[in-house]
Amino acid sequence: MDGTTAALVSAVFVASLVEFVEAFTIVLAMGVTRSWKSAIAGTVTALVALTAFTAVLGLAISTWLSESLLQLTIGTLLLIFGLQWLRKACLRASGFKAMHDEEAEFAEQAQAAREADRTTYAGIDLFAFMVSFKGVFLEGVEVVFIVVTFGLSADALGMAIGGAVVAGVIVVALGIALRKPLAQVPENTLKYGVGVMLAAFGTYWALEGVGYFRADEESLSWPGGKLALIALVAGWFLVTRIVIAGLGRARTSTAIPTEAA
């Protein structure tokens, strides 16, 4: 495993860890306040759907796209995810948006579960089932995109999947042991770091994939090859620090209230 692959697998692991922590909070709230049977059923159903989605997405991307178009597609997807994560990270770091708090999220989900009507089918609480399914599936879709794009781009899909699985096992094990939201996990910091990685790798592959528009459809090459990734990571980190500093000054001067997480 070279340095680039190790960095990719690490990014997949951390991104998956963060998403699984958020999904666990939702399932825990449904299980504690409504029905563990229904919450687990919704979780398992979502995992089955995600497995099928991963297989179809991976096969479609790797089979139907040329190398340069694959790089362009993967790079664009990673940039989209990376910029979304960085936007939230910058807003939170500058005080415009509240830090994500798993305990507050758990309390909100639990309150909604207590107030919802109870409708059952075949012994399954439909509210707990659907909320658990939706939470796990939506958080999982982000993991799937990151796993498939990182894995295919580095020709290491198996290792990427392994990193995500290990993250999931760790979250479940900690959740079972602690029996409470995993608020100790520094999600905000981890999301910031992963956002920088996603944006850097996305930029790298997207610009290489621009070669698809050449007559021979050959990928473009970065000066210095993969060493350019170091400069891109540093560049995106510097950009975000400048944005955070600017937003912080703007908030201080205008006294804008903090937005909910």
Side-chain angles (χ1 to χ4, degrees), residues 93-200:
S94 61
F96 272 97
K97 190 177 183 68
M99 292 291 184
H100 188 80
D101 185 341
E102 287 304 319
E103 291 184 348
E105 178 67 17
F106 174 81
E108 181 180 337
Q109 292 288 343
Q111 182 62 30
R114 294 188 189 97
E115 295 174 353
D117 295 333
R118 186 173 296 275
T119 304
T120 60
Y121 179 79
I124 297 294
D125 183 315
L126 295 182
F127 181 85
F129 176 90
M130 290 305 301
V131 172
S132 298
F133 173 85
K134 179 182 176 182
V136 173
F137 186 79
L138 292 182
E139 300 293 348
V141 164
E142 287 199 48
V143 173
V144 168
F145 273 113
I146 293 172
V147 166
V148 171
T149 52
F150 267 10
L152 290 178
S153 59
D155 196 23
L157 184 58
M159 285 188 284
I161 293 173
V165 170
V166 170
V169 170
I170 289 175
V171 168
V172 172
L174 287 175
I176 293 175
L178 298 175
R179 298 182 182 180
K180 64 179 184 179
L182 302 179
Q184 299 90 341
V185 176
E187 287 184 69
N188 298 289
T189 302
L190 293 178
K191 279 193 169 185
Y192 181 25
V194 173
V196 170
M197 293 286 288
L198 292 175

